[in-house]
Amino acid sequence: MIKKLLAATCLGAVAMATPATAQDLTVGFMATLTGPAAGLGVHMRDGFLLGVEHAGGNLGGLETEVIVVDDELKPDLAVERANELIERDEIDIFAGVVFSNVMMAVFRPVTEAEIFLVSGNAGPSPIAGRRCSPYFFSISWQNDQNHEVMGAWAEAQGYERVFLMAPNYQAGRDSLTGFQRHFTGEVVDEVYTQLGQLDFSAELARIAAARPDAVFTFMPGGMGVSLVRQFDQAGLKDSVVFLSAFTVDGTTLPATQAAALGLYSASQWTMDLDNAANTRFVEDFVATYDYLPSLYASQGYDAAMLIDSAIRAVGGDLSDKDALRAAFQAADFDSVRGDFAFNTNGFPIQDFYVTQAVQRDDGAIVMQSIDVAFEDFGDAYAADCRL
Amino acid sequence: MEILLLVQTLNGLQLGILLFLIAAGLTLVFGIMDFINLAHGVQYMIGAYLAATVTLATGSFFLGLLIALPLAFVIGIGFERLVLRHLYDRDHLDQVLATFGIILFLNELVKIIWGPTPIAYPGPALLSGTIPVMDGFGYPVYRLAIIGAGIGVAILLWFLVSRTRAGMLVRAGASNARMVSALGVDIQRLFMLVFGFGAMLAGFAGMMAGPILSVEPGMGDNVLILAFVVIVIGGIGSIRGALVGALVVGLVDTLGRSFLSDILKLFVSPSAANDVGPALASMLIYILMAAILFFRPAGLLPVKSGR
């Protein structure tokens, strides 16, 4: 199961022939690569490996080996794999992790081994608050933030009656709580569906009967694909505004296609953000992998770039953890999302955009930023973190 | 309110019909061959992927059905010959293990061929309209077509089973396979055809469901559990039982999801109702199954067995 990937194979071969003058760098990269939810992890991994390639196969000037492991979305297995990476492979840095339950499982073993953990996606609230660690940095967001963005935007747009729907599990309930943090209008109904449910006909009929101004939902993966298509098929798109988080994005658009046109989401990155780093990233990503990068790919890429910048700043010296931490904290690299800074708890303070699925001139359906919902937005839990 | 109830009833019927298509094959295989086939759910997934591939390549949903249906039949027969045939004489645990292995294998194979992200294909343009039922909300014609197709299949099955010679053998096999074999019928071949036919029905359900759901690896695993609930409620081996069971499960599940939280709100606080309602709604069919098993251990419409 463990795939050893020499990042940028040819460069690796060349580097191996020359005696290593500098110290080597081993990065353990964990993602969910099998199972129904594997799409996100594949995007994130591809983004990360592109980042390593852009750094010439040498993150921070050190000859880099990336060990990609699959957590299979099983927290117990993830702990096992993380321990293998720490003890057997003696990794210097741990990166990746798509799902929050996996993150909660590996967070303690990794940070207690005093290995820097760079989250490429998951940002559960406990590690943003009371259980924060000086060895943790997130390149993505705290879980609540994208939902908060949608809530704040619904408030700003003057939507008075909103229908909320999420799967019946922790992240689903957190999502709807996050939405209501900045939304003061009427919540017509709060519906919790079964996790993994694919037919939303019953819920859509309830939405139609409730006649809200807007519906907000959090339906990751295949659930979102089904919901978006059925929402479109029922003709609800014309009368109800569709707000979402992690539902309409680069991983689901290929499946929903035109059914998603006009629907809203929130994120810190879109393909059309106009900066040099992003242009290069998008162009090279498409050229390398032959599909359009998603949010998760951008996070994987930024994770590699962050590690590169931090190690470069300390001149490749991995032994001085405090210096390395300061270098991470500085976030001194050109992020594809534009400027951001790290909060005291290691999560980004960054701009969040309201995004909409639109058709580009070349026919591709992509997420485009249409409005800035928050500027320099930090998460609600940083105050609880005593670092 | 009346309209909402009507729409939800239609939704429940449509879910029930899909379940019936899956459960019909499962109950035949389980009832006639006494074989537990966990891999029945992957036939549903394979049907959807085959239809997706052909539909996307040709642009025609009906052509997709036409090509994918026989393919599903052939794949079903292939599995019977390659794997399942060798397990008929083994106990149920071996069968469960082997067919569970098939699930794992095929889920990964699908991911290798079609990728891990969900794919989608359009239904026929002919059925893409909606029937307006509420302001700004239409009931998709395609969903009505699913109900229609399912009823058509039910009638076809009834005709095949009760009016044809093959059906007679299937019924005889269900009540006493050994006796049928002793009378000179090639029971192996009969089993194989029944298995292929069941696989095709499950594949058909997947093909019909594809345009409204997301086609993704592992999509058959959830419906498999529901299909087992259906055949246990209906009575193992009984196609009529599968129909009744499927409609009951479809209606109870859909109406429970729609109205249970609201009904609870009449008795407890809204937040408590929101906590309990969804959990209770998802348990409803299992509670129903337990109740039916308590009062009628052989299911609603059991097959009279000579074993």
Side-chain angles (χ1 to χ4, degrees):
Chain A
M1 273 294 165
I2 299 176
K3 291 176 206 150
K4 289 212 172 197
L5 287 184
L6 266 180
T9 322
C10 53
L11 282 164
V14 172
M16 238 180 278
T18 54
T21 45
Q23 196 187 347
D24 295 345
L25 174 74
T26 311
V27 180
F29 189 85
M30 177 175 279
T32 305
L33 298 171
T34 50
L40 284 63
V42 170
H43 280 220
M44 190 172 77
R45 177 198 64 194
D46 288 352
F48 189 83
L49 293 179
L50 182 71
V52 176
E53 201 181 301
H54 275 183
N58 300 307
L59 289 179
L62 301 182
E63 187 194 323
T64 303
E65 184 192 12
V66 181
I67 304 172
V68 179
V69 294
D70 181 7
D71 58 48
E72 298 178 29
L73 194 41
K74 292 174 187 151
D76 51 330
L77 189 80
V79 172
E80 216 171 281
R81 297 266 153 89
N83 282 329
E84 279 172 16
L85 286 172
I86 294 165
E87 280 156 27
R88 190 188 62 204
D89 302 314
E90 297 179 339
I91 54 165
D92 304 296
I93 287 176
F94 186 95
V97 184
V98 178
F99 288 95
S100 292
N101 55 347
V102 174
M103 178 59 84
M104 289 308 290
V106 300
F107 178 74
R108 201 175 261 268
V110 174
T111 54
E112 278 181 359
E114 303 194 340
I115 289 169
F116 283 98
L117 200 173
V118 179
S119 169
N121 196 57
S125 52
I127 64 176
R130 280 213 310 278
R131 287 169 61 187
C132 62
S133 162
Y135 289 93
F136 177 85
F137 289 92
S138 161
I139 201 71
S140 52
W141 21 257
Q142 198 282 316
N143 283 358
D144 292 13
Q145 287 186 300
N146 301 45
H147 314 286
E148 289 179 57
V149 168
M150 281 281 96
W153 198 66
E155 182 79 17
Q157 295 296 303
Y159 299 137
E160 284 167 7
R161 307 176 71 244
V162 176
F163 189 103
L164 306 182
M165 178 160 74
N168 191 18
Y169 76 126
Q170 193 55 46
R173 290 179 178 270
D174 289 351
S175 156
L176 300 193
T177 310
F179 181 87
Q180 292 176 77
R181 193 166 288 148
H182 300 278
F183 179 73
T184 58
E186 183 193 350
V187 172
V188 188
D189 207 345
E190 224 176 298
V191 171
Y192 291 101
T193 61
Q194 219 174 327
L195 188 61
Q197 182 175 319
L198 289 182
D199 191 355
F200 294 93
S201 50
E203 288 75 14
L204 289 176
R206 287 177 73 178
I207 292 174
R211 305 169 63 93
D213 296 329
V215 54
F216 170 74
T217 188
F218 162 67
M219 288 285 166
M223 292 187 286
V225 172
S226 296
L227 176 65
V228 166
R229 299 179 70 204
Q230 291 163 20
F231 191 80
D232 179 49
Q233 285 164 357
L236 279 169
K237 240 161 77 168
D238 300 327
S239 54
V240 182
V241 177
F242 188 96
L243 309 172
S244 67
F246 308 112
T247 303
V248 187
D249 63 31
T251 57
T252 57
L253 283 178
T256 53
Q257 291 294 341
L261 282 178
L263 307 188
Y264 297 98
S265 187
S267 72
Q268 80 288 9
W269 174 89
T270 54
M271 241 188 297
D272 62 315
L273 289 184
D274 189 18
N275 65 61
N278 196 30
T279 311
R280 179 178 180 222
F281 162 67
V282 174
E283 269 176 20
D284 286 2
F285 192 93
V286 174
T288 310
Y289 301 110
D290 203 27
Y291 67 91
L292 293 172
S294 65
L295 179 65
Y296 314 101
S298 84
Q299 291 161 191
Y301 182 81
D302 266 359
M305 288 306 169
L306 170 68
I307 295 169
D308 180 57
S309 73
I311 295 175
R312 209 172 286 281
V314 295
D317 178 14
L318 298 172
S319 56
D320 187 348
K321 305 264 183 188
D322 289 332
L324 190 55
R325 178 175 311 117
F328 269 116
Q329 187 77 33
D332 186 18
F333 70 103
D334 293 328
S335 165
V336 292
R337 83 197 73 181
D339 280 342
F340 76 97
F342 278 118
N343 208 337
T344 48
N345 59 355
F347 279 87
I349 299 175
Q350 59 193 346
D351 297 348
F352 276 90
Y353 303 93
V354 174
T355 62
Q356 188 177 27
V358 296
Q359 188 149 29
R360 279 197 320 208
D361 294 339
D362 65 355
I365 294 167
V366 297
M367 298 308 291
Q368 200 169 64
S369 52
I370 57 157
D371 200 355
V372 181
F374 281 117
E375 280 183 12
D376 297 333
F377 180 47
D379 62 88
Y381 301 95
D384 298 334
C385 168
R386 280 169 297 179
L387 278 180
Chain B
M1 192 64 198
E2 291 79 19
I3 295 178
L4 186 59
L5 188 64
L6 174 75
V7 170
Q8 302 296 36
T9 307
L10 277 177
N11 285 331
L13 277 179
Q14 180 239 307
L15 175 62
I17 289 286
L18 277 183
L19 287 177
F20 165 66
L21 291 176
I22 302 160
L26 194 64
T27 201
L28 279 177
V29 171
F30 199 178
I32 299 177
M33 307 183 207
D34 192 29
F35 185 89
I36 299 186
N37 180 22
L38 292 188
H40 199 68
V42 294
Q43 299 285 358
Y44 167 83
M45 173 179 74
I46 287 175
Y49 270 101
L50 289 176
T53 308
V54 182
T55 304
L56 291 175
T58 62
S60 159
F61 174 79
F62 292 111
L63 206 59
L65 269 187
L66 211 64
I67 297 175
L69 271 178
L71 274 177
F73 182 72
V74 169
I75 290 174
I77 288 192
F79 271 115
E80 202 273 346
R81 298 210 65 156
L82 282 172
V83 186
L84 309 183
R85 171 164 295 190
H86 310 290
L87 298 162
Y88 288 148
D89 298 332
R90 307 279 279 274
D91 65 24
H92 282 161
L93 191 59
D94 291 359
Q95 297 168 354
V96 165
L97 270 179
T99 51
F100 186 64
I102 294 180
I103 294 181
L104 297 179
F105 174 77
L106 283 183
N107 280 347
E108 287 306 313
L109 186 70
V110 158
K111 199 174 302 155
I112 291 167
I113 299 176
W114 284 282
T117 46
I119 60 172
Y121 59 101
L126 191 66
L127 303 172
S128 65
T130 59
I131 297 168
V133 283
M134 275 183 256
D135 199 18
F137 174 73
Y139 199 79
V141 175
Y142 184 76
R143 285 181 184 267
L144 292 176
I146 291 181
I147 299 178
I151 293 172
V153 170
I155 294 172
L156 179 75
L157 272 178
W158 168 80
F159 179 78
L160 281 178
V161 171
S162 59
R163 289 283 181 276
T164 64
R165 187 177 165 76
M168 189 184 73
L169 290 175
V170 167
R171 276 182 293 144
S175 42
N176 196 331
R178 215 177 268 176
M179 182 58 82
V180 177
S181 183
L183 291 173
V185 176
D186 184 351
I187 203 90
Q188 278 270 12
R189 200 163 134 258
L190 183 70
F191 279 4
M192 191 176 77
L193 289 175
V194 168
F195 193 91
F197 195 71
M200 188 174 74
L201 282 183
F204 181 62
M207 292 165 207
M208 294 301 287
I212 49 173
L213 306 182
S214 92
V215 181
E216 59 182 18
M219 66 187 277
D221 303 353
N222 289 337
V223 296
L224 177 76
I225 297 170
L226 286 179
F228 269 110
V229 173
V230 165
I231 68 169
V232 168
I233 287 179
I236 289 163
S238 160
I239 290 184
R240 272 193 310 159
L243 181 62
V244 173
L247 293 181
V248 167
V249 168
L251 284 171
V252 166
D253 187 55
T254 305
L255 295 177
R257 263 161 49 206
S258 318
F259 299 112
L260 197 63
S261 293
D262 290 339
I263 293 170
L264 283 176
K265 277 176 196 163
L266 299 175
F267 303 105
V268 295
S269 72
S271 67
N274 268 339
D275 280 340
V276 179
L280 198 60
S282 57
M283 287 191 303
L284 219 49
I285 53 168
Y286 303 103
I287 296 172
L288 176 78
M289 179 174 78
I292 287 180
L293 281 182
F294 182 76
F295 292 107
R296 304 197 61 160
L300 290 175
L301 298 168
V303 175
K304 290 179 193 68
S305 175
R307 261 192 295 258

